[in-house]
Amino acid sequence: MKDVNYEEAVRQLEDIVEKMERGELDVDSMASRLKQAQGLIKLCKQKLKHTDDEIQKLLSDR
Protein backbone atom coordinates (compact mmCIF):
# COMPACT_ATOMS: atom_id res chain seq x y z
CA MET A 1 0.00 0.00 0.00
CA LYS A 2 3.04 2.28 0.36
CA ASP A 3 3.13 2.75 -3.44
CA VAL A 4 -0.37 4.26 -3.46
CA ASN A 5 -0.44 8.02 -3.90
CA TYR A 6 -2.79 10.24 -1.90
CA GLU A 7 -5.34 10.69 -4.68
CA GLU A 8 -5.57 6.95 -5.32
CA ALA A 9 -5.95 6.24 -1.60
CA VAL A 10 -8.83 8.73 -1.38
CA ARG A 11 -10.44 7.18 -4.46
CA GLN A 12 -10.22 3.72 -2.88
CA LEU A 13 -11.72 5.02 0.36
CA GLU A 14 -14.60 6.61 -1.55
CA ASP A 15 -15.20 3.31 -3.34
CA ILE A 16 -15.33 1.43 -0.04
CA VAL A 17 -17.77 3.96 1.44
CA GLU A 18 -20.03 3.81 -1.63
CA LYS A 19 -20.18 0.01 -1.49
CA MET A 20 -20.98 0.11 2.21
CA GLU A 21 -23.71 2.71 1.70
CA ARG A 22 -25.29 0.65 -1.08
CA GLY A 23 -25.14 -2.50 1.03
CA GLU A 24 -22.99 -4.31 -1.52
CA LEU A 25 -20.68 -5.89 1.05
CA ASP A 26 -21.39 -9.03 3.02
CA VAL A 27 -20.11 -9.35 6.57
CA ASP A 28 -16.83 -11.01 5.58
CA SER A 29 -16.14 -8.49 2.83
CA MET A 30 -17.03 -5.61 5.10
CA ALA A 31 -14.49 -6.69 7.71
CA SER A 32 -11.67 -6.89 5.17
CA ARG A 33 -12.71 -3.61 3.51
CA LEU A 34 -12.78 -1.84 6.88
CA LYS A 35 -9.27 -3.11 7.58
CA GLN A 36 -8.20 -1.86 4.14
CA ALA A 37 -9.87 1.50 4.84
CA GLN A 38 -7.97 1.82 8.13
CA GLY A 39 -4.69 1.33 6.27
CA LEU A 40 -5.67 3.86 3.61
CA ILE A 41 -6.66 6.43 6.24
CA LYS A 42 -3.34 5.95 8.02
CA LEU A 43 -1.49 6.37 4.72
CA CYS A 44 -3.42 9.57 3.90
CA LYS A 45 -2.70 11.01 7.35
CA GLN A 46 1.01 10.24 6.96
CA LYS A 47 1.14 11.86 3.52
CA LEU A 48 -0.72 14.95 4.73
CA LYS A 49 1.56 15.24 7.78
CA HIS A 50 4.66 14.89 5.62
CA THR A 51 3.40 17.56 3.22
CA ASP A 52 2.52 19.88 6.10
CA ASP A 53 5.96 19.37 7.63
CA GLU A 54 7.61 20.18 4.30
CA ILE A 55 5.53 23.33 3.87
CA GLN A 56 6.32 24.46 7.42
CA LYS A 57 10.03 23.85 6.81
CA LEU A 58 9.95 25.85 3.59
CA LEU A 59 8.11 28.71 5.28
CA SER A 60 10.50 28.78 8.24
CA ASP A 61 13.57 28.82 5.96
CA ARG A 62 12.57 32.20 4.54
Side-chain angles (χ1 to χ4, degrees):
M1 190 176 304
K2 290 281 184 190
D3 296 338
V4 176
N5 66 30
Y6 180 82
E7 290 78 12
E8 177 63 19
V10 170
R11 190 198 62 71
Q12 289 181 26
L13 281 167
E14 289 171 344
D15 182 56
I16 292 168
V17 170
E18 285 176 18
K19 287 181 179 181
M20 290 175 71
E21 288 177 343
R22 290 191 300 249
E24 294 179 5
L25 301 175
D26 60 26
V27 174
D28 295 324
S29 301
M30 190 177 298
S32 66
R33 288 298 190 135
L34 286 173
K35 187 172 183 176
Q36 179 187 11
Q38 285 178 319
L40 290 166
I41 290 167
K42 182 178 179 182
L43 178 72
C44 288
K45 284 182 176 182
Q46 289 171 342
K47 289 184 179 283
L48 288 171
K49 170 99 172 80
H50 175 74
T51 301
D52 186 54
D53 290 346
E54 290 292 314
I55 290 169
Q56 293 303 319
K57 183 178 184 235
L58 288 170
L59 292 174
S60 68
D61 288 344
R62 291 179 137 198

